[in-house]
Amino acid sequence: MTSLALLQLVSPALPVGAFSYSEGLEVLIQNGSLIDELDLQHWIEAELQRGALRLEAAALNPLRVQLQRWEQERSEMPSELMSLDGWLLALRESAEVRAQQGQMGGSLLQLMVDLGHPLPQPVVLAWPAAWAWAALSLKISELEMVEGYLYGWVANQLSAAVRLVPLGPTTAQRIQQQLLPMIREKASVLKDQDPYTLWCGGAGAGLAQLAHAELYSRLFRS
């Protein structure tokens, strides 16, 4: 059964600023590469199957293990945690998306401080590591942690699409529902995989994210 703590983390009311990012979706819509519901669903499916998102999801459990060790030992930040956090950030080609990962991660860590769950030491971690810390602190299971990460990313993409495409909220909800089996399947596989052994085929996403900085007018920060 899904924990209420997970519902809190995937809530659109979570104050991390996710609503202000499109991760390249705005570019695809402006240049006509994505024009309707079917295009959007195919794009999201491709990212779930081949994008950098997969590597981040697979890294959540290793990040959680390192964070738990750090919390228990109360020593310096583990080098493995620093290395994995930096590696995931380096996978993102766009400076805008790297800034997004840092801003959202910092906002979530600050929220956890406000809720009584500070890190052993104040440090800056990107979004995946911050998500792993929140899941550990709120006692969310490993599988639900990965499912929630993927579900939240899909929900944010759909939220951006509602504002950019002629796409109503009912259509967005229909796409989210249709993607639930894929989210569950990917989460169950990725939670036990080593992120360093995975590949990323998200070249199209990377190019769209890089091009976002050159848009003349834009609604989103990435």
Side-chain angles (χ1 to χ4, degrees):
M1 186 172 75
T2 302
S3 69
L4 292 178
L6 179 63
L7 297 181
Q8 180 179 6
L9 275 187
V10 299
S11 168
L14 194 74
V16 296
F19 67 90
S20 62
Y21 299 103
S22 81
E23 298 191 26
L25 200 62
E26 188 169 20
V27 170
L28 298 170
I29 292 166
Q30 283 202 24
N31 68 21
S33 298
L34 193 156
I35 60 174
D36 58 22
E37 172 185 351
L38 188 60
D39 288 341
L40 176 62
Q41 183 163 344
H42 286 168
W43 174 259
I44 294 175
E45 288 173 348
E47 285 300 290
L48 288 169
Q49 292 169 341
R50 299 183 293 276
L53 179 73
R54 294 167 56 253
L55 280 69
E56 293 173 355
L60 292 176
N61 271 332
L63 288 166
R64 180 177 181 144
V65 168
Q66 294 300 324
L67 286 162
Q68 187 170 32
R69 180 162 70 87
W70 188 23
E71 180 184 34
Q72 292 170 346
E73 296 178 358
R74 293 286 166 172
S75 58
E76 292 187 1
M77 182 179 179
S79 59
E80 296 92 337
L81 174 60
M82 296 174 60
S83 177
L84 184 51
D85 179 68
W87 179 71
L88 291 172
L89 200 58
L91 288 174
R92 297 295 193 163
E93 299 94 340
S94 164
E96 286 186 349
V97 176
R98 291 194 299 272
Q100 169 189 341
Q101 295 275 298
Q103 180 272 301
M104 289 177 58
S107 295
L108 182 54
L109 291 178
Q110 182 56 55
L111 175 63
M112 297 311 297
V113 170
D114 295 339
L115 295 178
H117 301 287
L119 287 168
Q121 300 168 15
V123 295
V124 177
L125 295 174
W127 177 243
W131 182 272
W133 173 248
L136 174 65
S137 300
L138 299 177
K139 296 180 172 54
I140 295 169
S141 73
E142 294 177 352
L143 177 58
E144 286 187 336
M145 172 179 65
V146 182
E147 286 180 339
Y149 191 84
L150 298 178
Y151 180 94
W153 179 84
V154 171
N156 285 333
Q157 288 283 282
L158 291 171
S159 174
V162 167
R163 286 171 278 171
L164 292 167
V165 186
L167 184 75
T170 301
T171 300
Q173 289 300 305
R174 181 166 58 247
I175 295 173
Q176 184 95 50
Q177 184 179 50
Q178 291 170 347
L179 290 172
L180 292 180
M182 177 179 284
I183 291 171
R184 292 193 191 99
E185 186 268 329
K186 293 298 179 187
S188 66
V189 172
L190 290 169
K191 78 177 183 68
D192 296 318
Q193 288 194 302
D194 180 351
Y196 290 119
T197 66
L198 299 179
W199 56 273
C200 174
L207 290 171
Q209 291 158 8
L210 286 166
H212 188 266
E214 300 177 0
L215 288 181
Y216 178 74
S217 61
R218 49 188 176 172
L219 296 175
F220 294 89
R221 298 169 65 184
S222 72

